Amino acid sequence: MASKLDDRKKQILKVVTDDYIASGEPVGSRTIARRYDLGLSPATIRNEMADLEESGFLEQPHTSAGRVPSERGYRYYVDALMARKSLSEKELEVIYGELDQYHEEIESLIHQTSKILVQMTQYPGLVLSPQLQTAIFKHIQLVKLSKSTILVVIVTDTGFVENKMIELQQEISSDELDRLSVLLNQRLRDLSVRDLQLNHFMDLNSELVFHDQLFNEAIKVLIKSLSDRNKNGERVYIEGTAKILEQQEFLDLQKLKPLMGVLEEENRLYKLLYKDVIAKSKVKIGHENEDQVIQDCSVVTASYEIAGRAVGVIGVLGPTRMDYAKVLPIVEGTASVLSELLSQISKRGKL
Amino acid sequence: MASKLDDRKKQILKVVTDDYIASGEPVGSRTIARRYDLGLSPATIRNEMADLEESGFLEQPHTSAGRVPSERGYRYYVDALMARKSLSEKELEVIYGELDQYHEEIESLIHQTSKILVQMTQYPGLVLSPQLQTAIFKHIQLVKLSKSTILVVIVTDTGFVENKMIELQQEISSDELDRLSVLLNQRLRDLSVRDLQLNHFMDLNSELVFHDQLFNEAIKVLIKSLSDRNKNGERVYIEGTAKILEQQEFLDLQKLKPLMGVLEEENRLYKLLYKDVIAKSKVKIGHENEDQVIQDCSVVTASYEIAGRAVGVIGVLGPTRMDYAKVLPIVEGTASVLSELLSQISKRGKL
DNA sequence: TGTTAGCACTCTATCTCAGAGAGTGCTAAC
DNA sequence: GTTAGCACTCTCTGAGATAGAGTGCTAACA
């Protein structure tokens, strides 16, 4: 299996892939000779295609059908062959305009982002919300709701507001609560949630001048509630699942069902995406995906940032026969616009 | 079209409907005679069925097929024929147990509710979140985040916590903010959001002892932000959309596509449900639904309450050939469990 | 008068089979 | 190294033909 391809083979592989992505039909030597002006006869192309199949870049659905790119073929196409371009300023403006309407609230902003991905790519769109783990405490406020119920409001630098009601055994006075708020604010500010280990709190606790049993309890409950939070803070938003019905590869209900199942399981979608927070942008083709069920799909992702720190991922999911050349710039462009908007929000709230 | 049916006709309509719901196949006279011990020959049953078709309770897919209930038939079945039972104490316990794990947070509670509906009915499950409109202010807290950004936290008696960041032109001091908080708390407590009209705020405003220009602005921004909120406060949670793929009536992609589309549009789902907040429990069959696309579906809903006040709706959506006898008690039972849990949460936070 | 058996008829679903179409691999010529 | 020609393979489609299910109608029966 030689991985070195001469120029003509590259050209043919590119043309086959382009054509297959556009048409969905296996492409034959004759079609290529007619449709693309390569100056080659069908017979020559046939020979080259046989070679490409030999080296694993193309496949034949059955003996007398045309050729189709293999996963390896797609990989090579994405890495080396396809036209790579970025969105134009104007296109970015449009996305910006669409999203800017929702800058009031981070959750709708993210929601809207997935909708835009769907609209522009015609594939289901995914957004992994900013990870609480990497977020940095900015403000914590304790509000007394009733004798023993207090509301904890945490604001992070990523603009997220988290609420949690917690219950104490004893009553705590508003004054005490305020003092606790102040103390926690001083101590936690600029810590990331990741840093927030039990021992940080322990430190805090031991430093308390007026530590009494009540405070101990309050802090213990708080720790517990926050570490609960960590587990489930990140959400995956998905929109446009209905779009996969448009894909001819999923006309078959037997294939469709498990896929639809996955798209409903936030957990699995999370696993699909969370590793890509660190990757700038990534295309995962077929078996490169860990989840068995989507091994005839591809996932195109790009991470987005807040103030220069990668915090989340957006992406789309489609069949391996995905229009990578169209989708990749859209995903990347949308991620960059989202980054900009989130950074603005973050800055807005800076002290 | 006589609506009066004699007992034998009722019995046959019931048996036909039961059988069709269970099998999905049009049921013929012979099948009934064999499968159910009515003491009637196929020929007699044929005659009765012809009558039932005449009066619009049954339909024939084509001449030489068995009979199928018409929408009118289903309606009669649901109203008068089907076995009506409630969930047993034990079944309610199970639901309670499942949901109680999530009582910490109202949103996950509601989310989980829709999952339970899916699991128990095998149809997509819907939950319309408690309506902010009918909620009652319990606490409002203004937190200063930066010079001009303040975070507004509103807690309602339904246990919901709403956050909104607002931006002022001028800086406001923490002290002033606290005074405003106190004032708003006094004035708004026990008002429903619905009551919150502009004039309430205007009253508030004119009563201010220390009204200065800054307060005016703060209040104006607050009004705006709250009325924005009202529009989008209610959310519809849907789970288990993949379940409709299991329904043989949607094997046809042409039928499936528009339906999947609807299930993704929160707006349309909202319209589907919001009227049922006042109805205790309801079955809407086929064309009884307003949305054209789901006119070959049925929706079974039940409203849930917080402290005796109906605030939201849960339900499932399935083909008109839905197992009403099984689904209705599940939906009603789940709604009652949810009501109980929400009321507990609400009580917990009472001052 | 209501019920039932018998029978011809209708409609659908499924299976088979042949032919068309597309594309390949191989061979031989350029 | 490239190309034309050709036999071969495989799929897809449509046309019958057939089996099966169920009906409606008629006539007989209690």
Side-chain angles (χ1 to χ4, degrees), chain A residues 105 139 141 143 145-146 149 159 161 163 165 167 229 240-242 246 251 253 260 264 348 350-351, chain B residues 105 139 141 143 145-146 149 159 161 163 165 167 229 240-242 246 251 253 257 260 264 348 350-351:
Chain A
E105 224 196 330
H139 194 90
Q141 179 87 24
V143 182
L145 288 184
S146 73
T149 314
V161 182
N163 306 295
M165 279 200 237
E167 200 115 12
R229 255 294 177 200
T241 49
E246 311 285 338
L251 288 185
L253 273 188
M260 291 297 286
E264 287 201 336
R348 193 212 296 163
K350 273 268 152 51
L351 293 191
Chain B
E105 225 196 330
H139 194 91
Q141 179 86 25
V143 182
L145 287 184
S146 73
T149 314
V161 182
N163 306 296
M165 279 199 235
E167 201 115 12
R229 255 296 177 199
T241 50
E246 311 286 339
L251 288 185
L253 273 187
K257 264 194 223 169
M260 290 297 286
E264 287 200 338
R348 191 211 297 162
K350 272 271 152 51
L351 294 191

Side-chain angles (χ1 to χ4, degrees), chain B residues 20-34:
Chain B
Y20 181 62
I21 285 175
S23 72
E25 301 294 322
V27 351
S29 52
R30 207 193 150 69
T31 315
I32 294 182
R34 202 179 343 103

Side-chain angles (χ1 to χ4, degrees), chain A residues 62-329:
Chain A
H62 54 86
T63 328
S64 71
R67 296 312 204 294
V68 156
S70 66
E71 286 185 13
R72 191 175 182 201
Y74 282 122
R75 170 52 56 206
Y76 195 88
Y77 173 82
V78 168
D79 289 343
L81 299 179
M82 76 180 184
R84 273 188 169 277
K85 51 168 186 171
S86 302
L87 292 190
S88 68
E89 273 306 314
K90 210 170 142 193
E91 289 166 310
L92 289 171
E93 285 291 326
V94 173
I95 300 176
Y96 190 96
E98 287 275 336
L99 284 180
D100 197 31
Q101 307 162 32
Y102 297 86
H103 71 223
E104 295 260 319
E105 224 196 330
I106 249 182
E107 203 179 311
S108 11
L109 182 59
I110 281 175
H111 217 228
Q112 192 60 20
T113 303
S114 55
K115 285 189 183 166
I116 285 183
L117 287 175
V118 176
Q119 190 191 315
M120 296 189 68
T121 64
Q122 297 296 312
Y123 299 115
L126 303 160
V127 179
L128 175 62
S129 71
Q131 301 206 279
L132 191 58
Q133 290 292 328
T134 67
I136 292 174
F137 272 103
K138 220 175 61 189
H139 194 90
I140 184 166
Q141 179 87 24
L142 307 178
V143 182
K144 188 175 173 183
L145 288 184
S146 73
K147 266 189 185 166
S148 59
T149 314
I150 61 180
L151 174 69
V152 185
V153 181
I154 294 167
V155 186
T156 71
D157 70 328
T158 49
F160 257 107
V161 182
E162 300 279 335
N163 306 295
K164 188 97 187 180
M165 279 200 237
I166 64 179
E167 200 115 12
L168 299 178
Q169 301 293 337
Q170 292 179 259
E171 179 163 4
I172 187 166
S173 77
S174 290
D175 281 353
E176 285 173 310
L177 214 54
D178 284 346
R179 271 188 300 169
L180 191 54
S181 282
V182 170
L183 204 73
L184 286 170
N185 266 312
Q186 288 171 353
R187 203 58 177 68
L188 295 181
R189 162 148 330 191
D190 297 336
L191 281 184
S192 82
V193 175
R194 201 203 308 270
D195 292 341
L196 171 64
Q197 304 295 353
L198 208 65
N199 38 359
H200 272 108
F201 269 112
M202 285 310 158
D203 285 3
L204 175 77
N205 201 3
S206 64
E207 275 176 28
L208 286 178
V209 190
F210 29 61
H211 46 39
D212 55 15
Q213 199 242 319
L214 179 60
F215 268 41
N216 277 329
E217 193 206 337
I219 286 170
K220 221 159 68 190
V221 173
L222 203 59
I223 291 173
K224 189 175 165 302
S225 108
L226 285 180
S227 47
D228 272 5
R229 255 294 177 200
N230 290 359
K231 270 186 241 139
N232 305 311
E234 298 88 22
R235 288 210 46 203
V236 179
Y237 295 81
I238 181 162
E239 286 285 325
T241 49
K243 292 289 181 192
I244 61 169
L245 299 182
E246 311 285 338
Q247 303 302 324
Q248 58 181 104
E249 19 272 291
F250 300 112
L251 288 185
D252 181 9
L253 273 188
Q254 293 319 101
K255 289 198 162 191
L256 187 60
K257 265 193 223 170
L259 184 55
M260 291 297 286
V262 174
L263 297 188
E264 287 201 336
E265 281 184 61
E266 198 168 1
N267 245 349
R268 289 170 89 166
L269 295 178
Y270 178 77
K271 282 187 193 147
L272 216 64
L273 296 178
Y274 80 97
K275 283 186 185 160
D276 295 338
V277 175
I278 40 170
K280 187 93 182 167
S281 97
K282 221 176 169 181
V283 177
K284 274 176 294 183
I285 297 166
H287 286 75
E288 294 168 14
N289 291 293
E290 278 177 27
D291 199 312
Q292 290 237 348
V293 174
I294 62 158
Q295 297 197 336
D296 47 1
C297 294
S298 286
V299 182
V300 176
T301 57
S303 62
Y304 60 90
E305 307 172 343
I306 296 181
R309 204 174 70 241
V311 290
V313 179
I314 71 173
V316 301
L317 182 149
T320 45
R321 184 183 74 81
M322 185 192 273
D323 191 343
Y324 300 98
K326 175 183 142 201
V327 167
L328 200 54

Side-chain angles (χ1 to χ4, degrees), chain B residues 35 72 82 88 143 160 163 179 201 219 224 248 293 310:
Chain B
R35 195 131 48 184
R72 192 174 181 203
M82 75 182 186
S88 68
V143 182
F160 257 108
N163 306 296
R179 270 187 301 168
F201 269 113
I219 287 171
K224 190 175 163 303
Q248 59 182 105
V293 174

